[in-house]
Amino acid sequence: MTYNNNPLFTDITSKDCLKMLSCFHSEEKIFSSGETIYHFSSQKPVIGILLHGDASVLRYEFNGSRTILEKLEPSSVFGEILAFHSEEYEAIHLQCDTNCKVLMIDYDSLMKPCANACACHTKLIQNVTWLISKKTMSLSQRVEVLSKRSIREKLYCYFMQESLRQKSHTFQIPFTMSDLADYLSVDRSAMMRELKKMKEDGILSSEKRMIRLL
């Protein structure tokens, strides 16, 4: 298995990747659909790479309702900003949407100074810092969506973000309609009614997960 095409290992050779992964006590794990990959509060901090499959970062509230914080696809890196013990994350976990294979890397081993002052280790830490910056931007975009008052404003803001990210007015969202409602923290029925009105008003067209902004 080669990992150097993952953003965590940008500008690091395959040989150096394998050498560091051995030093960092990394391991590959396989999970079934619906299984929990990682609890962000109850386990040792890690940085993980989703090698195969799809997964969701979920938060469950005291009343049993859930919020989808993030959707992960193959090559996604998780834990680089949430992998710290905190009561704030006690209800947050990563769950498989499909069967998944994950590479787990011990966070403390990765971030501690290298005794040999290896250039590849220094580069890896720089990549982690870049990923944290990227994740912070992603979280800021989510806050922007949730800050909108109406369901229409939330939908349009999210669709505009996806349009810019995918560089097209026609794009596929990573959510089912139920999951999209969870992600936006809105009632699904109310969201579907608003989507219908947006189509009637000529703002967009949609076919399942495909959205086109008009």
Side-chain angles (χ1 to χ4, degrees):
M1 175 68 69
T2 59
Y3 303 106
N4 59 319
N5 60 343
N6 186 275
L8 184 62
F9 299 107
T10 298
D11 296 329
I12 298 174
T13 66
S14 297
K15 181 179 179 180
D16 285 337
C17 282
L18 294 175
K19 182 174 66 175
M20 286 191 295
L21 289 175
S22 176
C23 293
F24 298 155
H25 311 293
S26 65
E27 60 178 327
E28 288 187 4
K29 294 185 176 181
I30 295 176
F31 299 88
S32 300
S33 178
E35 193 173 356
T36 296
I37 296 174
Y38 185 74
H39 291 279
F40 285 100
S41 67
S42 61
Q43 294 177 237
K44 188 174 182 180
V46 301
I47 286 184
I49 299 175
L50 187 61
L51 301 175
H52 298 293
D54 299 295
S56 298
V57 180
L58 305 174
R59 182 180 66 207
Y60 283 93
E61 310 297 345
F62 291 112
N63 62 4
S65 64
R66 74 170 193 175
T67 300
I68 297 176
L69 301 179
E70 186 179 6
K71 279 283 189 179
L72 301 185
E73 300 174 340
S75 294
S76 294
V77 180
F78 64 88
E80 73 275 3
I81 192 170
L82 294 177
F84 303 95
H85 289 291
S86 169
E87 293 181 358
E88 296 179 15
Y89 304 129
E90 62 182 2
I92 299 177
H93 64 270
L94 179 62
Q95 179 175 300
C96 298
D97 296 329
T98 63
N99 294 339
C100 294
K101 179 186 285 188
V102 176
L103 176 70
M104 297 287 201
I105 304 171
D106 180 68
Y107 181 85
D108 293 333
S109 297
L110 186 153
M111 296 304 292
K112 71 181 181 182
C114 179
N116 298 321
C118 298
C120 56
H121 192 174
T122 300
K123 180 58 182 175
L124 183 63
I125 293 175
Q126 291 174 351
N127 291 343
V128 171
T129 302
W130 178 81
L131 286 169
I132 290 174
S133 176
K134 185 178 179 182
K135 180 60 67 67
T136 300
M137 182 178 296
S138 176
L139 292 174
S140 295
Q141 290 177 334
R142 176 160 169 73
V143 169
E144 181 185 9
V145 172
L146 295 178
S147 69
K148 303 302 181 183
R149 293 190 176 185
S150 69
I151 294 176
R152 175 174 292 211
E153 288 174 332
K154 289 183 179 182
L155 283 167
Y156 191 73
C157 182
Y158 171 69
F159 290 153
M160 282 297 297
Q161 289 178 358
E162 281 298 301
S163 177
L164 290 171
R165 186 178 70 85
Q166 299 186 38
K167 299 179 181 179
S168 174
H169 289 296
T170 302
F171 51 89
Q172 180 171 309
I173 62 174
F175 300 108
T176 63
M177 289 298 105
S178 293
D179 286 349
L180 179 59
D182 286 342
Y183 181 78
L184 299 177
S185 296
V186 298
D187 178 75
R188 182 185 183 279
S189 296
M191 185 192 75
M192 295 303 295
R193 288 194 297 270
E194 194 58 51
L195 271 174
K196 182 180 179 181
K197 292 178 183 177
M198 292 173 77
K199 291 180 185 179
E200 293 172 347
D201 292 343
I203 296 173
L204 57 82
S205 62
S206 66
E207 179 65 30
K208 296 183 178 179
R209 298 190 185 191
M210 293 300 300
I211 305 293
R212 184 185 179 197
L213 297 179
L214 303 175

